[in-house]
Amino acid sequence: MIELTREDFLYQIPLLILAVSGVMLILLEAFTEGNRRDFLMSLSVAGCVGALLSSIVLFRSIGDESIELFGGMLVADRLAYVLTGLFAGATALSAMLTADHQRTHRWEVGELYGLMLIATAGASLLSMAGSLVTIFLGVEMMSIAIYDFMAARRGSRPGTEAAMKYFLMGAFSSGFLAYGIALLYGATGTFDISSIAAFAAENPSDPLLVVGALVLVVALAFKVGAVPFHMWAPDTYEGAPTPLSGFLASVAKAAGFIAAVRIFAEAFGGDVMPFGRLGWASVFAALAAITMTVGNLAALRQERIKRMLAYSSIAHAGTILVGLVAVGVGAGDGAMAAVVYYLIAYSLTTIGAFGVVSWIGSRDKERLRIDDWSGLAVSHPLAALVMTVFLLSLGGIPPLAGFFGKFYVFSQAVSAYDQQLLWLVVIAVLNSILSLFYYLRVVMAMYFREPEGAFTPMRSPATVIALGLCAFFVVKMGVLPGGWMSIAGG
Amino acid sequence: MTDTSFVLPLLLALPVLGAILVMLVPREEHGLHRGIGLVTALATFGVALFALALFDGEEAGFQLVFDLEWIAALGVHFKVGVDGISIWLVMLTAFLLPIVLLAAHRSVSHRVRDFVAIMLVLQTAMIGAFVALDLFLFYVFWEVMLVPMYLLIGVWGGKRRVYASIKFVIYTVVGSMLMLAAIFYVYVQHGLTTGEYTTDLVQLRELVLPYGAQVWCFAVFALAFAIKVPLFPLHTWLPDAHVEAPTAGSVILAGVLLKLGIYGLLRFAMPLFPLGAAEAAPFIAILAVAGIIYGALVAFVQEDIKKLVAYSSVSHLGFCSLGLFTLTVQGVSGSIFAMLSHGLTTSGLFLAIGVLYERRHTRRLSEFGGLWKQMPIFAALFLIVTLGSAGVPGLSGFVGEFLTVFGTFIAGETFPAGWDSYLPAPKLLAAFAATGVILGAVYLLYMFQKTMFGPLDNERNKSLPDVSRREITVFAPLIAMIFVMGIAPRPFLQTAEPSVDRFLTMYESKLTQPEAVTPYAVEFDEQGNAHRREQPAAPGDAAAERDGAGDAEARAERTQR
Amino acid sequence: MDATQPPIYLIILLPLLGAVVNLVVGRKLSRRFVSVVGVGSVAASLAVTVSIIAGPLWAQYTAAQAGEAASPWLQQTLYTWIETGDLRIELAFRLDTLSALMALIVTFVGFLIHVYSVGYMHDEPRYAAYFGYLNLFTASMLVLVLGENLPVMFIGWEAVGLCSYLLIGFWFEKEKNADAGRKAFVVNRIGDFAFILGMCLLFYATGTLSFADFQGPEAQRNLLEIFMWGEPVATWAGILLFIGACGKTAQIPLYVWLPDAMAGPTPVSAIIHGATMVTAGVYMVARMSYMYASSTTAMAIVAGIGAVTALFSAIIALAQSDLKKVLAYSTVSQLGFMVTAVGVGAYVAGIFHLLTHAFFKAGLFLCAGSIIHAMSGSGDIMKMGGLRKRLPLTHISFLAFCLAIAGIFPFSGFFSKDEILVGALTADADGWWMYYGEFLWLLLTLAAACTAFYIFRVYFLVFSGESRADAATQAHIHESPPLVTLPLLVLAACTAVLGFVGIPKLGFLQDIGVGNAISAWLDSSVRSGIVPMEITDGGKLRVMGLVLVVAISAVLTARALYARGVSPRLEAWTSRGPWARVHKVVSDKFYVDELYELIVLRPFRALARGLFVFVDRFVIDTVFVAGPAKVVDLVGAAVRKVQNGQVQRYLAAILVGSAAIFFLASRPAISFEHEQVEPYEVTFEAMVDAGPASVDAEIEWDFLGDGEADATGPEVSHRFSRSGEHEVTMRFRDGVFGRWRSVSRTIEVAAQEESQGAGARDRGAERGSRQ
C-alpha cells in the first residue's frame, strides 16, 4: 500500500491548483449570469498564474533532484515544473485571447475556461508522469477536456466537425495507447517507467517490448501530429475557434512531446533498445524527416492562414522530433534542454500568431484568408509588426526565439552520435528554407500590398497584453537565450 | 579588453536607438523622421571615424575588441572587433548611410517612418556582420540583414517587387541556411576535438578539419557567400533586386551588402577551411573571370539603366572574388580596394539613376538622350562616377582592378595547392580578367552616351531641371572619395596590409598543418558501445589526394615557363 | 619632395589648375577670363618648362657630358601612390632630355593651339568646358610624358584618352560625334588592356616598373629570361606594351578610331590627334628602348606594323575627299613612319620625326580649321579651289607644311624622314629575316611617294584653280582673324627651320663641326646603336637623293592631275573601268570598318544578347531557379490534395504509417568488421542491430566468392590462401520474416600483419544487397 506524505501534495501544488480551479470554474459558471465571461476568464488566468508561480517556486527549490511521488506514479523534477509552467502560462495567454474571440463572434460559453484548465492539468500530469498509467490518465484527461471545449462554439459547423474529427481520431489513438501500455505490461510486468527501463536494459530484443514500444510510437505520433498521423490537425486547427487552435498547437502538442520524452527517453533511454541503427530514435528520425517535409510542402499552397499555421505546426513537430532523436541517441542533457527550449519558444510564438489572427479577425469578419491581410502594415502597423515577429520566429530568422530554438536543436543533433545525424539536420535546414516562403507570403501581404477596405479590430486590453507578452518573450528568448537555456536544463 | 572597447558596441547601438526613436515619432511627421534618421546616421559616421582614429594601422590583429559572454552554455560570445580589412568596410557602410538617407528625400515619400527605421536597422546589421568575431553572432547579423532588405525591396520597390523580393530571399536563404548546417558541423567538431564548445572565430580558426570535411564545409560556406557576391552563375537575383529596389535599396545593396559575400569568404570561409578553399580556388577564380566577362557582356544589352549597372556589379565583383583567390598580397589588397571603390562608384551610379528616375519615372535608355545639354552639372557628376566605375586611373576604380589583375598575374608562384593542376597559366586568367577593362568601357560609355549625348529629342526631357543643391550634397562626398581613393590609395592599402599579410600567412600555414585527428575513438571507448564504428578517418588518403611537397617543385618549374 | 629640386610638378599642375577652374566654375566666368586661364596656364607651364630645361637640366646635361655628374636627368618624387607587398609605385616625374623635348613640344604646340582656339572657338556656347578639357589634356599629356614609371605614364595615357573622348564628342548633340568619341575610347582601351598586362609581366619578371631601373644590369638580365614559347620576357612585354601603343598611336589593326576622331573641333584634332597624344606610343617605345633593345623579335614586329601602317593609310589618304580625313590618314601614316623608326632602333630618328611632325601636322590641321571656317564648315576638297588669293596667310603656311610633310628640302620633314629611311634600310638585327630592313625601306619609300602625292593633291584642289563652291559659300570666304593666323605663321616658320636640328651625320659635315644636335641631345635617354647602322656618306646621300626625287615627282604628278581641279582624264579613270573599282575600294578605306562590324561588333552584340536571353533568362532563371520552385510547388499542391477531409482516408494513413514503422523496425542494419590477426588469417565479427529480428537470426560467410557458405556464426575466422584483395560476403537471415540479406566487402589480406586502419579504408567499398 502506498503511503501518502506531505511531499506528495507539496510537490504537485501546480497540478492541484490547475485541477481545482478548473473544477471550481465549471461550478461557478453554472451560477453566473450570461454576461460575466470576462470575470471567468480573469479567474482562469489567475488560476494559471498561480500554477505558474508555484511551478517557479518549486523549480527553484527542487534543484537537480528527481522525487518520486505516490510511489512512483508521479515524478517531480525540474523538467516537470518547466513544462507545467509552460502549460500554465500558455493556457493563461490562450484564455486571455479567447475571451475576445468569444465576445466578438458571440459564442460565449463559460465552461470553456474550466475545461481549459482541466486539460492543462492533464498536460501537467503528463509532464510529471512516472508510470504508464499516469501517462494514460494524463492523455485522457487532457483529450477529453479538449474534445469538449472544441465543440463549444455550437453555432459553427466547421467547429463542430473539427471537434468530431478530433474526437474520432483521438479515440483511435487512445486505443493504440492503451494497447501499447498493455503490451509493455505483458513484457515487463510493471507500469513503472523506471522498472521498464531496467527490464529493457537487460532484454533489449524482447519482441513484446519492442512491439509495445512501437505501438506507443504510433499513439504519440498522433498526439504530436507527426506525418502520417497528422491528418486531423489541419481540419481541427482550422475549424476550432482561433485562440483554441493556438492552445492545441502549443499545450496539447507540447504535452504529447513530454509524454514521448517520459516514455522513450526515460524508459528506453540511451541505446538500450535498438531497432535500426539508432535505436528507437531511427523511427523518430524517419518520422521527423517525413513530417517536416510534408508539413512544409503542404503549407506552401495554403490560402487560409489557420490551415497554413496548422501545417506549419506539423512541420515544427518534425523539428522537435529531430531534437527527440538527438535525445534518443544519447546526446545528453543538452539535447533535452534543446527540446524543452524549442517547446517553450514554439508555444509562445504560435499562440502569438494565432492570437494576432484572432484579433485581426475580431469584429466584422474573421479574416482567415491570407489575402485578407493585405496592407495590414499600413492600417495597423503594430499588429503587422508583431505578426511579422512571430512569423519570422517560426521561420527561424535571428535574433528571434524560433531561430535560436532551431539553432540549439540542430547543434545538439549534429553533435550527437558521431555526427551521423547530419543528414537529418540538412533535411531540417532545407525545410527551414521552404518554410520561409509561406511565412513570407503573409508578410508580403501585410507589407507589400495595399489595404482592401478598412477594418477596425476590437480594442481589448487582454488581447494586447497577451500578444505583447508573447512578442516580448519571443524577442527576448532570441536575443538573450542564455537564461532560458538554463531553465530548459542546458 | 581595453578602455576603447565601447566604440564598436556604440556603433552598433546607435542606429538601433535611432530607429526606435523614429518609431516613437507620430506617423505623419516625415520631416522629423528624416531628420532623426540623418542625425543618427551622421552620428554613427562620427563614431566610425572615431574608431578609425583609434585604429592602429600597423597592427595586424583585431582591435577595439569587445567581448561579452552571450550564451554561456553554447560558448557563444558577443565578440566584435575590427582589423585593417573590416575597418574600411565599416567606414564604407557608415559613410554611405547618410548619403542614402539624404538621397531618399524625394524618392521615398510614403511610409517614411518605416523606411528610416528599416535603413537604420539594416545599418546595424551590416556593421554587425562586418565586426562580428563570433560565428554565431555573424550568422545572426547576416540573417538579420535579410529582413530589412526584403522589406525595402518589397515595400518601396517597383512593379515586380514581389517577384524580386522573393527571388532575393530564395537565393539568400538557400545559401545561408546551408551555411548554418556547416556552422553546426564546425562548432561541434571544435567541441569534440578540443573539448571546448565555442563559436569564437579566433579559436575556431585554430582547428584543422579533415580534408573531406573542409571541402564540404567550404563548398557550403562558399555557396552562401558566392550568392551574396554574386558570383556567376548565382547572380540572377541581383538584377531583379536592383531594378525593383528603390534607389536607397540599390545603393545599400550594391554598396555594402554584396561586399559581405567577399568579406565572408575572406574572414570565415577561407581561414576556416583552407584545404577546401585551395581545392576550390581554381574553380572560383574561373567563375570570377567568367563573371567579369559575362556581367559586362550582358550589361551591354540591357535597356534598363539600373539593370545595366546591376550587371556591371556582377562584373566588378568578379574582380573582387578573383583577387581574393589569387592569395597574393596584391590580389587580396586589390580585392578589398576594389570593394571599397565599387561601393563608391556603383552607389554613385545608382544615385544618378535615381536622379533620372525621380524626374522621368522611367529607366529605359531609349527614353533619354542629350541630357547633358539640359543638366550639365548632373552630367559632370554622372561622368565622374561612370569613369570611376570604368577604372580610369586617377579615380578609385583603377587601383583595385589593376592590383587584382596584377595579383592574378603573379599568382602562379603563390597558389599553394590545386591551382596548377587545373590551370597552368594564371597569366591567362589575368588576361581574361583584364578584358574587363575593355568591356567596362564598352557598356559604361554606351550607357553614358545613350543618356547624356545625342540629340535632346524627347519632348519630356526638355524641361528637366538640373540637380538641386541637396542632390549635389549627396554626390559631393562620393565624388570626393572617388578622387581621394584614386589619387592617394596608399593609406587604404597600408592600413589593410598587415591584416592581409596575416590572413595569407595563416592560410598558408594551415595548409601544411596536420589535420586534426577525429576524436571518435576516444568518445566511443568510454561509452563502450559496440555498435558504433571507432575508426578514425584515414588521414593518409586525404593527404595523398592533395598536392604533395614534390608537386610544389614541379609547379614552381611550370610557372617559370 | 626635395626642396632643392626644380618644381617639375608645376609643369603639370598649372594646366591642371586651369582645367579645374574652367571646368568647375567656368560656366559662371566671362569668356575673357576663361581664355586667360586657359591660355595663361599653358603659357605658364611652357615658361616653367623652358626655365627648368634651360636652367637645372642644361646644367645637369652639360655636367654629364663632361663626365662630372652621373645622370643627365632630373627626378622628382611627390609621394608613394600605390604600395602593397613588394609592389611600390611612386608618383614620380622624370625630366631627361627625351621627356624635356616632349614636354617642350606639348607645351609649345599646346600653347599655340590654345591661342588659336581663342579665335577659332569664339562662338562656342560651351567655351569654358572646351578650355577646361584642353587644359586637362595638356596636363594629362604632361603626366604621360614626365611620368617616371610605367603606371604614372599610364595615368596620363588613360587621361589623354579620356580627354580625347570628351573632345571628340564635344559636339555631342550629333550621335555620330558621340559614337566617334566612344569608339576612340574603346579602341584605346583595347590597347590599354594589353598595356596593363605588359606592366604586370614586367613587374613580375623584373620587380620594377621604373624607367631608370630598366637600364640597370639586373633588370636587363631578367628581361632576357625566357618567359613563354622560347621568347624572353622582353619580347612578350614589348609586344603587350606595343599593342597599347597601337591603340594610342593608331597603328594597324587599332587605327580605326583616328579617322572618326576628326568629329571633334579642329584645334583638338591638331593637338590631340595630330601633334601630341597620338605620338605617345612612339614616345613610349623610345622611353622603353632599354627593354625593346633586348628583343629583336619585338622590334621586328614594331617596325613591320609601323611600315605596313605607313603605306596602307597613305594609300587610303590618296582617295579621300574630306580635308580632315586626308589629314587623319596622313597622321596614321606618319605615325607609321615613326613607329618603324623606333622599331628598327632608330630612336633618335623616330623622335626627331615626332618633333617635326608635331609642328607640320598641327599646322596642317590648324590650316584646315581656317579653311573649313572659311568654307562655312564644309571640308569637302572637291568643292574648294582657288583659295590662294582669298586666304593668303593660310595658303603660305599650308604650303610650308605640305613641303615639310612631302619631304622637300630644306623643310623639316625632309630631314626627319630621311633619317628614318636610312635607319630602315640599314637595319639588320640578329634573327631578322634577310632583307627585312630593305623591305621596310621599300614600304616607307612608297609611303613617302604617296604622302607627297596626296598632300599636294589636297594643296592643289584647295588653293589652285577655280573655286568649285556654291555662291553662298563663296561670298562668305574670308581670311581668319589674327588669333588664328598668328599661330599658323609661327608653326610654319618653325617647320621651315626645325629640320636643321637634325642635320644628317655626314662625314664631311662633321668635319666642319656641323653635328646632329638632336642626336647628341637624346643620346643619354634612349639606347641608340643597338641595331648596327653602317652606311657610307655616299649611301646616305643616295638614299636622300632618291627620296627627294620620288617626292618631287609625286608633287609634279599631283600638279598635273589636280592643278585645275580634277583633271578630266583622271575623272575618266576613276569613274569607269577596272581603275574605278580600285578607286572605290581605296576611297572606301578598304572596307575595314565594315569588316570590323562584321567580324567583331555583330558577333559581340549577338553573343551578349544571346547570353542574356539564353543563359540568364532561360538556363539560370527558368530551369535552375524557377524549375525547382515549380516542382516544390506542384508537390505541395499534390500533398494538399491528399488531405480531403475524409476521416476514412485519415485512418488509412494511420494504418499504412503504422505498418511502415513496424517494417522499418524489424529490419536491423547489418555489417561486419574484420581484423587480421596473423599472416593470411583474418577474424570477422558480424555487427547486427539488436531487436526481434536478430533473435533467431542465422549468419553465413562466403570467403571465396563462390556463393557457398564457408562458415556460419557471428564470429568466425578464416585463413586465406593468398594475400591481396578478397571479396567477403556476409549473409543474414532475420528471425521474424526469414528474409536473407547480404553485405559484401572487398578486404585486403596481407602476408604480414597489418595495421588497424585497414577497416576504415575498406569502408568505401562496402555495399549491401538484398537477395
Side-chain angles (χ1 to χ4, degrees), chain B residues 88-381:
Chain B
W88 289 117
L89 293 164
V90 170
M91 289 304 299
L92 177 69
T93 316
F95 175 75
L96 283 180
L97 211 82
I99 294 178
V100 165
L101 285 176
L102 196 61
H105 208 272
R106 246 178 80 183
S107 56
V108 173
S109 53
H110 74 300
R111 295 163 80 175
V112 175
R113 182 174 68 170
D114 300 351
F115 173 79
V116 172
I118 279 178
M119 291 303 284
L120 291 173
V121 170
L122 188 57
Q123 186 184 24
T124 289
M126 291 185 301
I127 294 181
F130 283 130
V131 299
L133 295 183
D134 182 291
L135 209 49
F136 181 86
L137 184 65
F138 170 75
Y139 186 79
V140 168
F141 281 126
W142 174 267
E143 284 286 77
V144 165
M145 284 185 315
L146 180 68
V147 180
M149 200 61 220
Y150 170 70
L151 291 176
L152 211 53
I153 299 172
V155 177
W156 291 274
K159 283 196 190 74
R160 295 174 73 222
R161 57 179 192 261
V162 172
Y163 170 76
S165 60
I166 272 290
K167 201 167 171 185
F168 169 73
V169 171
I170 299 186
Y171 263 107
T172 315
V173 166
V174 166
S176 63
M177 290 273 186
L178 286 175
M179 178 169 78
L180 185 62
I183 290 178
F184 292 139
Y185 181 82
V186 181
Y187 167 70
V188 167
Q189 276 292 347
H190 187 266
L192 289 175
T193 317
T194 64
E196 190 187 351
Y197 284 87
T198 179
T199 48
D200 185 344
L201 175 67
V202 179
Q203 288 186 45
L204 288 178
R205 275 201 307 210
E206 302 298 319
L207 177 71
V208 183
L209 291 171
Y211 172 76
Q214 287 208 26
V215 170
W216 276 107
C217 289
F218 182 81
V220 171
F221 265 67
L223 178 71
F225 295 133
I227 286 172
K228 204 71 147 200
V229 168
L231 198 64
F232 173 82
L234 302 169
H235 64 278
T236 60
W237 63 270
L238 186 71
D240 286 310
H242 268 316
V243 167
E244 299 308 325
T247 302
S250 294
V251 171
I252 288 297
L253 191 60
V256 184
L257 239 58
L258 304 188
K259 275 78 199 180
L260 271 158
I262 303 283
Y263 178 76
L265 286 168
L266 174 75
R267 174 70 80 233
F268 297 97
M270 294 173 75
L272 286 176
F273 320 110
L275 292 177
E279 196 66 22
F283 300 110
I284 296 188
I286 290 171
L287 285 180
V289 171
I292 292 173
I293 298 172
Y294 181 91
L297 284 175
V298 174
F300 178 64
V301 294
Q302 298 307 316
E303 169 64 18
D304 185 315
I305 316 178
K306 238 183 168 179
K307 228 171 190 172
L308 192 153
V309 176
Y311 277 108
S312 90
S313 289
V314 176
S315 184
H316 281 123
L317 269 294
F319 277 105
C320 300
S321 331
L322 179 66
L324 201 54
F325 281 88
T326 60
L327 297 168
T328 54
V329 184
Q330 288 86 4
V332 177
S333 305
S335 167
I336 294 162
F337 197 89
M339 280 200 271
L340 300 177
S341 160
H342 176 260
L344 298 174
T345 54
T346 305
S347 301
L349 287 175
F350 278 122
L351 289 171
I353 295 167
V355 167
L356 292 179
Y357 187 76
E358 277 172 31
R359 284 164 174 70
R360 282 292 321 277
H361 294 281
T362 179
R363 287 185 302 255
R364 298 180 62 78
L365 279 174
S366 53
E367 289 283 324
F368 297 105
L371 287 184
W372 191 312
K373 200 161 200 163
Q374 191 63 33
M375 309 168 70
I377 301 178
F378 171 72
L381 300 174

Side-chain angles (χ1 to χ4, degrees), chain A residues 54-70:
Chain A
S54 56
S55 300
I56 293 171
V57 171
L58 286 166
F59 175 83
R60 295 205 164 180
S61 61
I62 198 164
D64 290 331
E65 280 179 85
S66 172
I67 296 165
E68 295 198 342
L69 310 175
F70 296 115

Side-chain angles (χ1 to χ4, degrees), chain C residues 177-196:
Chain C
N177 297 358
D179 278 337
R182 188 155 59 95
K183 184 172 176 183
F185 197 87
V186 170
V187 174
N188 268 297
R189 267 289 168 115
I190 296 174
D192 298 348
F193 146 79
F195 199 104
I196 289 177

Side-chain angles (χ1 to χ4, degrees), chain A residues 23-247:
Chain A
V23 174
M24 294 250 301
L25 273 171
I26 292 174
L27 290 175
L28 208 60
E29 202 278 336
F31 297 107
T32 26
E33 294 299 315
N35 287 333
R36 302 293 305 278
R37 310 299 163 197
D38 281 353
F39 157 70
L40 290 172
M41 186 270 277
S42 311
L43 274 184
S44 74
V45 170
C48 289
V49 169
L52 176 61
L53 291 176
S54 56
S55 300
I56 293 171
V57 171
L58 286 166
F59 175 83
R60 295 205 164 180
S61 61
I62 198 164
D64 290 331
E65 280 179 85
S66 172
I67 296 165
E68 295 198 342
L69 310 175
F70 296 115
M73 294 288 277
L74 296 181
V75 177
D77 56 9
R78 284 198 140 189
L79 181 64
Y81 292 124
V82 175
L83 266 298
T84 307
L86 169 66
F87 295 145
T91 310
L93 292 168
S94 301
M96 286 159 84
L97 295 164
T98 310
D100 218 14
H101 196 266
Q102 282 200 337
R103 196 167 341 122
T104 51
H105 299 290
R106 296 193 192 75
W107 56 284
E108 283 99 334
V109 179
E111 61 267 35
L112 175 80
Y113 299 102
L115 288 169
M116 269 171 95
L117 288 195
I118 289 174
T120 311
S124 307
L125 200 58
L126 280 175
S127 73
M128 299 179 81
S131 151
L132 295 180
V133 176
T134 322
I135 299 259
F136 190 78
L137 264 178
V139 166
E140 291 309 305
M141 184 169 166
M142 179 178 78
S143 302
I144 291 171
I146 293 178
Y147 304 147
D148 246 8
F149 68 69
M150 287 295 281
R153 191 179 175 185
R154 288 182 204 96
S156 153
R157 264 200 60 202
T160 321
E161 189 188 323
M164 197 59 210
K165 269 185 189 155
Y166 187 50
F167 170 67
L168 261 178
M169 307 302 283
F172 205 72
S173 83
S174 291
F176 271 89
L177 188 65
Y179 184 51
I181 290 173
L183 284 173
L184 285 185
Y185 185 78
T188 63
T190 175
F191 289 117
D192 186 60
I193 289 176
S194 49
S195 311
I196 294 175
F199 177 87
E202 285 182 15
N203 309 295
S205 294
D206 187 284
L208 220 51
L209 185 76
V210 172
V211 174
L214 289 177
V215 175
L216 285 184
V217 168
V218 174
L220 292 173
F222 170 86
K223 283 290 163 212
V224 301
V227 177
F229 312 105
H230 68 290
M231 290 180 127
W232 57 272
D235 293 348
T236 310
Y237 283 36
E238 195 187 3
T242 311
L244 296 184
S245 307
F247 180 84

Side-chain angles (χ1 to χ4, degrees), chain C residues 602-689:
Chain C
R602 265 195 220 165
F604 177 81
R605 280 192 288 260
L607 177 69
R609 179 151 297 284
L611 283 180
F612 175 59
V613 173
F614 182 72
V615 178
D616 236 56
R617 282 281 159 268
F618 180 71
V619 176
I620 301 177
D621 264 5
T622 310
V623 178
F624 285 105
V625 178
K630 188 82 198 159
V631 169
V632 167
D633 198 44
L634 287 177
V635 172
V639 169
R640 191 178 162 217
K641 282 224 175 83
V642 172
Q643 182 102 19
N644 66 350
Q646 284 179 9
V647 180
Q648 294 91 319
R649 192 174 279 195
Y650 298 3
L651 291 177
I654 290 178
L655 291 178
V656 170
S658 315
I661 288 178
F662 282 100
F663 178 77
L664 197 76
S666 68
R667 197 166 173 278
I670 57 171
S671 68
F672 64 89
E673 285 178 0
H674 71 282
E675 187 182 353
Q676 182 152 13
V677 286
E678 274 176 60
Y680 301 112
E681 174 106 19
V682 183
T683 60
F684 295 90
E685 188 187 352
M687 307 258 106
V688 178
D689 285 337

